[in-house]
C-alpha cells in the first residue's frame, strides 16, 4: 500500500507543503486541506455513517457520508470521487460545493486534533453502498430534518465537523435545500 499525503496550508489556504497522512493527525496537527461530502438519495434522504471503531480519530462517531483529504495535485472533485468509492463503494453524481470556506479545529477524547480547511459538498448517490469496514462501521439514510434535530439537540452524538457544518450552512439539512437537489 502506497503512502498517502495531505496538503498543508497557511491561514489563507495557500499550499505550504505536504505531510504523510499517517503522521499528520496528532495533538499538534497542522492546518491542512480536506473536504466533507453529504450524500443524498433520490428520495431526499441524507446518508450518515458511523466511523469504524479502528479509526485513529473519532472512532465510532456518527457523521456525514464521508470526508477525506485531496492528495497533492488532486482537485476536490477527483478526491471526492476517489473517497466515495474507497470508503463506501459508492458512485456519486451532481457534486456541488455548499460551503467553500468551511474551516474547523477540534480535539477528540484521545487528544487527536483535526485542523482542516474543509470545503463542504453535496452529492447524489448514483449506486448502492458497499462500505469498507475499515472505514465505516454502520450507515443509515435519514430524513434531513431528523438529522438537523439531532445535531441541534444532541451535538455530542455526532462529529464536531458535522455540527459546525450544519451551523455554518443552515440550509444544508433543511427541507428547503432538500427540495432543490
Amino acid at each position: 500500500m502506497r503512502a498517502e499525503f495531505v496538503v498543508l496550508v497557511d491561514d489563507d489556504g495557500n499550499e505550504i507543503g505536504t505531510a504523510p497522512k499517517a503522521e499528520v493527525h496528532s495533538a499538534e496537527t497542522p492546518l491542512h486541506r480536506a473536504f466533507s461530502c453529504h450524500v443524498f438519495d433520490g428520495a431526499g434522504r441524507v446518508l450518515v455513517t458511523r466511523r469504524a471503531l479502528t479509526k485513529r480519530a473519532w472512532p465510532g462517531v456518527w457523521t456525514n457520508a464521508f470526508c477525506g483529504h485531496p492528495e497533492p495535485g488532486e482537485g476536490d472533485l477527483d478526491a471526492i470521487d476517489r473517497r466515495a468509492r474507497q470508503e463506501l463503494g459508492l458512485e456519486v453524481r451532481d457534486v456541488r460545493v455548499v460551503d467553500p470556506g468551511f474551516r474547523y479545529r477540534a480535539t477528540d477524547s484521545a487528544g487527536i486534533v483535526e485542523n482542516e480547511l474543509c470545503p463542504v459538498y453535496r452529492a447524489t448517490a448514483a449506486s448502492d453502498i458497499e462500505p469498507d469496514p475499515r472505514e465505516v462501521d454502520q450507515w443509515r439514510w435519514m430524513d434531513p430534518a431528523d438529522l438537523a434535530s439531532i445535531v441541534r439537540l444532541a451535538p455530542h452524538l455526532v462529529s464536531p465537523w458535522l455540527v459546525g457544518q450544519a451551523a455554518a450552512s443552515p440550509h444544508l439539512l433543511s427541507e428547503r435545500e432538500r427540495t432543490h437537489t
Side-chain angles (χ1 to χ4, degrees):
M1 184 179 212
R2 71 175 181 79
E4 292 182 71
F5 287 81
V6 300
V7 177
L8 305 177
V9 295
D10 64 18
D11 284 334
D12 296 321
N14 300 308
E15 294 183 17
I16 58 172
T18 62
K21 179 183 171 187
E23 299 172 14
V24 76
H25 295 97
S26 67
E28 304 293 326
T29 303
L31 182 61
H32 58 279
R33 287 183 57 215
F35 65 83
S36 189
C37 191
H38 297 261
V39 176
F40 292 77
D41 69 4
R45 298 176 301 173
V46 63
L47 178 64
V48 292
T49 60
R50 183 173 182 235
R51 292 169 58 85
L53 298 174
T54 55
K55 297 288 277 183
R56 183 169 180 207
W58 279 275
V61 171
W62 284 94
T63 193
N64 58 292
F66 65 97
C67 297
H69 302 89
E71 294 182 347
E74 182 180 40
D76 285 358
L77 296 181
D78 289 334
I80 288 167
D81 183 60
R82 174 178 54 83
R83 289 305 296 171
R85 292 172 193 267
Q86 287 175 343
E87 287 191 28
L88 297 168
L90 178 67
E91 292 182 36
V92 294
R93 62 179 170 78
D94 303 327
V95 179
R96 64 183 173 92
V97 67
V98 293
D99 187 349
F102 182 73
R103 178 179 172 177
Y104 76 101
R105 186 179 192 285
T107 307
D108 78 0
S109 61
I112 302 295
V113 173
E114 285 284 10
N115 187 15
E116 298 180 336
L117 181 58
C118 184
V120 181
Y121 291 83
R122 287 176 60 102
T124 302
S127 70
D128 291 333
I129 298 170
E130 296 179 32
D132 180 340
R134 294 170 297 183
E135 299 286 342
V136 176
D137 185 58
Q138 297 176 349
W139 58 274
R140 301 277 183 274
W141 290 106
M142 293 186 70
D143 183 281
D146 292 341
L147 181 56
S149 292
I150 291 168
V151 169
R152 187 178 66 257
L153 299 173
H156 60 282
L157 296 179
V158 297
S159 70
W161 56 90
L162 177 54
V163 173
Q165 291 166 11
S169 299
H171 297 295
L172 180 64
L173 300 175
S174 74
E175 188 72 24
R176 180 173 158 251
E177 180 73 17
R178 184 178 82 181
T179 61
H180 289 87
T181 59

